[in-house]
């Protein structure tokens, strides 16, 4: 076996702890050689610091393990609860620094999107007899990068848009846009942001109009748009989008799961990607855009 294969085999071995504290629920999981062997969750609300470490210790104890037995850490970087994300990042950095092991920061929204889409797909598969997907999250299979109202590059005919939602209050949502297509491909189209939901749906509509124009040159629209996560409270805005687009729009309630974050982190670790710097790693809180902030001010003045 050559050195490259030995290195890959080495990277596949060991325990990876995954933690996300971006929502009111603490979600953790333990993977051994890429396979999930334990998962725990607890409602923390505003007490993430009180519950996180005991939850991790309890899960590890059930496997007769301790922190020193870990080989890598995966952590939700946000966006989400300011306090929660900060506590999760701090704990992950402390574990990684103390044990001298790699830490991988993963978008909490991507975790929510991937998990929600898998859950939705599995539910559809069980009712239709189809085989559920195994996701390859390489993010390169589509052949495009970011997408905006200025234009999108061509997409696969079977592509579905996955839009994760975390309620950020006052009509706002932490959100992003991912695309899942045939061939088990997965790609980021619009990165994490906090947005006014009304403005976000208008932006999505504009993107679909761009796609519609491209259809004249045989570039298809997405097969389906799926909002996943904390969809409750955004029904009006989602319905408005559905009314102006002739495609299928689905909402799917879904809670964060540590297993999904663990898989995304393990993929980076197994691929030999550089670890995030334990000293400079910080939460991704995201900021509302200036245009949306002005819109919110004008709405408040009118109201």
């Amino acid at each position: 076996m050559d050195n490259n294969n030995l290195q890959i085999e080495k990277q596949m071995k060991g325990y990876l702890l995954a933690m996300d504290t971006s929502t009111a629920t603490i979600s953790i999981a333990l993977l051994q050689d890429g396979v999930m062997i334990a998962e725990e969750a607890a409602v923390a609300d505003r007490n993430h610091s009180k519950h996180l470490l005991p939850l991790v210790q309890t899960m590890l104890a059930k496997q007769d393990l301790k922190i020193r037995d870990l080989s890598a850490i995966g952590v939700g970087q946000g966006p989400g609860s300011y306090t929660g994300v900060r506590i999760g990042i701090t704990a992950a950095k402390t574990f990684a620094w103390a044990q001298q092991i790699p830490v991988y920061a993963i978008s909490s929204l991507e975790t929510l999107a991937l998990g929600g889409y898998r859950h939705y797909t599995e539910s559809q598969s069980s009712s239709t007899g189809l085989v559920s997907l195994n996701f390859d999250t390489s993010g390169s299979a589509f052949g495009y990068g970011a997408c905006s109202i200025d234009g999108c590059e061509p997409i696969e005919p079977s592509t579905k848009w996955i839009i994760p939602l975390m309620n950020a209050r006052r009509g706002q949502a932490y959100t992003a846009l991912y695309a899942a297509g045939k061939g088990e491909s997965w790609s980021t189209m619009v990165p994490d942001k906090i947005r006014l939901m009304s403005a976000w749906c208008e932006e999505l509509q504009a993107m679909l109009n761009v796609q519609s124009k491209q259809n004249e040159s045989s570039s298809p629209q997405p097969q389906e748009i799926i909002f996943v996560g904390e969809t409750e409270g955004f029904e009006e805005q989602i319905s408005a989008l559905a009314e102006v687009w002739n495609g299928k729009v689905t909402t799917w309630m879904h809670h964060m799961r540590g297993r999904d974050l663990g898989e995304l982190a393990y993929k980076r670790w197994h691929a030999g990607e550089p670890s995030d710097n334990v000293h400079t790693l910080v939460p991704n809180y995201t900021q509302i855009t200036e245009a949306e902030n002005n819109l919110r001010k004008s709405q408040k003045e009118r109201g």
Side-chain angles (χ1 to χ4, degrees), residues 69-288:
D69 297 311
L70 299 175
S71 299
I73 303 289
V75 62
Q77 193 176 12
S81 163
Y82 277 39
T83 302
V85 173
R86 186 173 66 250
I87 289 168
I89 290 289
T90 300
K93 291 171 65 173
T94 301
F95 293 159
W97 181 81
Q99 303 302 320
Q100 294 297 294
I101 57 178
V103 59
Y104 295 96
I106 304 297
S107 162
S108 297
L109 284 172
E110 182 170 12
T111 299
L112 188 66
L114 183 61
Y117 179 54
R118 171 164 46 197
H119 188 206
Y120 170 71
T121 301
E122 289 173 349
S123 73
Q124 300 300 300
S125 299
S126 62
S127 63
T128 61
L130 298 176
V131 178
S132 60
L133 296 176
N134 294 312
F135 292 101
D136 175 1
T137 56
S138 61
S140 60
F142 282 107
Y144 57 59
C147 179
S148 70
I149 60 176
D150 296 324
C152 303
E153 296 179 35
I155 60 176
E156 295 287 344
S158 60
T159 296
K160 297 182 180 182
W161 286 6
I162 318 302
I163 303 171
L165 297 176
M166 291 185 193
N167 196 323
R169 304 180 185 277
R170 295 183 296 180
Q172 301 171 105
Y174 296 109
T175 187
L177 174 58
Y178 299 91
K182 65 180 182 180
E184 302 176 356
S185 55
W186 181 263
S187 179
T188 302
M189 292 185 70
V190 177
D192 300 352
K193 285 287 186 180
I194 180 173
R195 292 175 168 89
L196 286 170
M197 192 62 183
S198 56
W200 176 221
C201 286
E202 289 175 1
E203 182 179 345
L204 291 170
Q205 180 182 341
M207 291 166 61
L208 290 166
N209 287 339
V210 170
Q211 293 290 343
S212 180
K213 292 176 182 178
Q214 291 181 339
N215 283 347
E216 298 173 4
S217 59
S218 72
S219 294
Q221 294 191 359
Q223 183 185 54
E224 183 178 5
I225 298 174
I226 308 168
F227 290 86
V228 303
E230 299 176 2
T231 59
E232 189 175 9
F234 298 120
E235 295 89 349
E236 182 179 348
Q237 296 92 330
I238 294 172
S239 295
L241 175 64
E243 288 175 1
V244 298
W245 185 56
N246 59 5
K248 182 179 180 181
V249 177
T250 302
T251 58
W252 190 259
M253 290 285 292
H254 179 73
H255 298 288
M256 190 77 70
R257 293 194 62 177
R259 59 175 285 185
D260 302 310
L261 190 147
E263 290 181 11
L264 289 169
Y266 178 77
K267 181 175 180 61
R268 289 184 57 192
W269 182 36
H270 173 50
E273 290 188 20
S275 167
D276 288 297
N277 189 307
V278 72
H279 300 293
T280 60
L281 176 60
V282 294
N284 175 24
Y285 293 127
T286 75
Q287 298 293 327
I288 193 166

Side-chain angles (χ1 to χ4, degrees), residues 291-303:
E292 289 175 319
N293 190 45
N294 291 336
L295 175 60
R296 187 174 66 185
K297 288 179 179 178
S298 65
Q299 289 175 339
K300 186 179 295 184
E301 291 171 356
R302 290 197 303 267

